[in-house]
Amino acid sequence: MDENEKKAKLESLPLEQMMDKAWAMLDFAYAPYSHWKVGAALLSADGRIWGGCNVENAAYGPSNCAERTAVFKAVSEGVRDFKAIVVVGGNEGKVESYCPPCGVCRQVLSEFCKPDFLVIIPKSRTDYKVKTLAELLPESFSL
């Protein structure tokens, strides 16, 4: 997907509402160990926006990232068709840099999203990167 196609696709999204939801989810993040709070807003094809936040655990393994929380919420309610996600994060929830999805989240997204799925990674509401899932996870392991 070239930059013009990405831009056109981005313009069709309710980006402001997705940004609002992602930032709001920072308030619910549970990160007493890393102090790195993450919020996500996942847009399903039916227009719903699914929020997610990271939830840490002292054992680390049972922890869950914001992106996976949003995906799992939607999938657990029968939704499996997605258009885009916004991911924000920072120390104590203060967003000062880009916070792209980790490798595990990229793999989970590839299970349910097409290669042209948009991943929006803001540093602020006006400064953000837009990547396709294929750019973030080339040659993904999938069906």
Side-chain angles (χ1 to χ4, degrees):
M1 173 181 288
D2 69 27
E3 292 304 312
N4 288 331
E5 291 172 311
K6 238 193 268 186
K7 185 178 177 184
K9 193 169 180 180
L10 182 65
E11 289 173 356
S12 73
L13 302 177
L15 188 57
E16 186 175 333
Q17 293 94 327
M18 292 176 70
M19 294 268 196
D20 288 346
K21 184 68 166 184
W23 255 273
M25 295 309 298
L26 291 169
D27 292 336
F28 300 112
Y30 178 74
Y33 307 101
S34 72
H35 303 283
W36 190 266
K37 295 182 177 187
V38 181
L42 176 68
L43 178 66
S44 54
D46 64 7
R48 288 187 280 177
I49 299 173
W50 302 83
C53 65
N54 59 321
V55 180
E56 294 181 350
N57 187 282
Y60 289 109
S63 297
N64 204 47
C65 297
E67 303 91 307
R68 286 183 281 142
T69 297
V71 169
F72 297 160
K73 283 169 66 175
V75 170
S76 72
E77 299 213 17
V79 177
R80 294 190 180 144
D81 191 8
F82 305 106
K83 289 185 173 184
I85 193 167
V86 171
V87 182
V88 296
N91 190 44
E92 297 300 346
K94 188 173 180 184
V95 178
E96 296 179 322
S97 61
Y98 303 110
C99 182
C102 73
V104 174
C105 288
R106 294 173 194 205
Q107 181 59 47
V108 168
L109 288 168
S110 77
E111 185 73 21
F112 297 101
C113 305
K114 297 177 177 125
D116 65 348
F117 173 84
L118 293 184
V119 180
I120 300 126
I121 311 160
K123 183 168 144 176
S124 73
R125 292 185 184 255
T126 57
D127 181 1
Y128 51 85
K129 295 179 182 182
V130 180
K131 302 286 185 180
T132 65
L133 186 55
E135 289 173 314
L136 291 177
L137 190 63
E139 300 180 28
S140 68
F141 183 76
S142 60
L143 295 173

